[in-house]
Amino acid sequence: MRKLFVAGNWKMNLDREQSLVLAGQLRSEAGGLEDITVAVCPPFVYLKGIADVLKDTGIGVGGQNMHTESSGAFTGEVSGGMLRDAGCEYVIIGHSERRHIFGESDEFIAEKVKKALSEGLKPIVCVGETLEQRKNEETQKTVSRQFESALQYVDKDDMAAVTIAYEPVWAIGTGRTATPQQADDVHALIRSLAGDFFDPEVAEGLIIQYGGSVKPENAADLLGKENVDGALVGGASLTAADFLQIIEAGRTNAKS
Ligand code: PGA
């Protein structure tokens, strides 16, 4: 049976009440979660409330970002320890919006991945090329650089806790999805990088999610690809019905 992981990235969306309603719907309607790993990543301020609602459901909770330090004078930042304290198991690191809007460097992302692991969090590490890089045939080069940099401080033994999310920047929030073949090609590249950088066992066990306009209509085709082990879902994770259908597409593929 394939291991699959579907995570919802709520970004800066939903108010407190809407968040709790959505978590409540997931709690009552998501079934069969023994076949698939599922998590949601709400904004920081709602993490504890959502973690309480989802306790014992099998649906994990993650932060959308964290800082490299444990504490200190870093106004506006949140530490990995604080995320754990709020009930998080996961943390998204190096999302393209963090890289491009907030100027996070490859080195800063690498430090965050290391810190997340030392805090006992499971990082979901995002990589992906811009449209210009794809047009210039720099996808391989960009994804390889981001992968190798982000994982430079990670020991092979810690890789079981790491998920990679391939999110082509041109597909995020645009309604434009990579074709299943385009996704699978880059996922295969990432798997081979993991083999070279760590070893074949790490490559084989690595969960590589696809992200970028994943919807109920395209989830089954994407998740049906050999190297696509899950999805990091933005917009479609804000509606219980859509997110549940994507989870269901994952479950069907996990069993096949
Ligand atoms: P999207 O976002 O599904 O809304 O394109 C995905 C992501 O940014 O993680």
Side-chain angles (χ1 to χ4, degrees):
M1 189 153 110
R2 292 178 68 201
K3 278 196 300 177
L4 276 137
F5 178 18
V6 173
N9 173 11
W10 294 2
K11 308 192 180 183
M12 197 172 74
N13 291 301
L14 307 178
D15 62 21
R16 184 171 168 277
E17 173 146 9
Q18 291 166 330
S19 303
L20 291 170
V21 168
L22 175 55
Q25 288 170 325
L26 297 177
R27 183 190 168 88
S28 55
E29 291 166 40
L33 295 179
E34 55 287 344
D35 297 334
I36 185 166
T37 305
V38 176
V40 293
C41 302
F44 290 143
V45 290
Y46 304 135
L47 281 171
K48 178 73 175 79
I50 301 298
D52 287 346
V53 173
L54 295 176
K55 196 164 183 281
D56 301 326
T57 59
I59 302 175
V61 172
Q64 298 175 12
N65 181 30
M66 60 173 271
H67 196 261
T68 54
E69 298 295 327
S70 302
S71 63
F74 301 101
T75 301
E77 292 293 320
V78 165
S79 72
M82 291 169 185
L83 292 182
R84 281 220 53 98
D85 209 20
C88 289
E89 181 179 352
Y90 302 95
V91 59
I92 299 173
I93 295 192
H95 188 279
S96 75
E97 285 147 21
R98 300 298 320 170
R99 291 178 189 265
H100 298 291
I101 305 175
F102 301 101
E104 289 192 7
S105 67
D106 283 336
E107 180 59 30
F108 194 36
I109 289 163
E111 293 282 351
K112 288 185 185 205
V113 173
K114 175 172 132 198
K115 185 68 176 174
L117 288 165
S118 78
E119 294 283 1
L121 290 162
K122 298 175 181 163
I124 299 172
V125 182
C126 302
V127 298
E129 80 287 0
T130 62
L131 185 57
E132 203 185 337
Q133 286 164 332
R134 177 160 282 263
K135 282 186 181 153
N136 293 339
E137 295 181 6
E138 290 171 356
T139 299
Q140 276 207 13
K141 188 173 106 187
T142 306
V143 169
S144 305
R145 190 201 73 231
Q146 291 172 339
F147 177 92
E148 286 173 10
S149 174
L151 300 177
Q152 63 183 299
Y153 304 123
V154 179
D155 289 338
K156 188 185 109 184
D157 294 345
D158 284 332
M159 278 304 288
V162 175
T163 296
I164 303 292
Y166 167 57
E167 300 205 305
V169 179
W170 47 272
I172 296 177
T174 58
R176 229 180 123 178
T177 319
T179 64
Q181 193 54 53
Q182 281 174 325
D184 199 57
D185 288 347
V186 181
H187 285 223
L189 164 75
I190 294 170
R191 205 175 297 289
S192 91
L193 288 170
D196 295 344
F197 206 65
F198 297 101
D199 66 21
E201 207 183 318
V202 168
E204 162 108 36
L206 184 64
I207 300 245
I208 309 170
Q209 296 174 325
Y210 168 79
S213 300
V214 176
K215 300 184 269 287
E217 302 81 57
N218 58 27
D221 286 345
L222 286 160
L223 294 168
K225 284 289 180 187
E226 189 189 337
N227 288 293
V228 181
D229 311 309
L232 182 55
V233 187
S237 71
L238 300 174
T239 314
D242 286 355
F243 192 54
L244 288 164
Q245 280 183 62
I246 295 169
I247 295 169
E248 190 50 39
R251 281 188 57 217
T252 310
N253 272 294
K255 283 189 185 156
S256 61

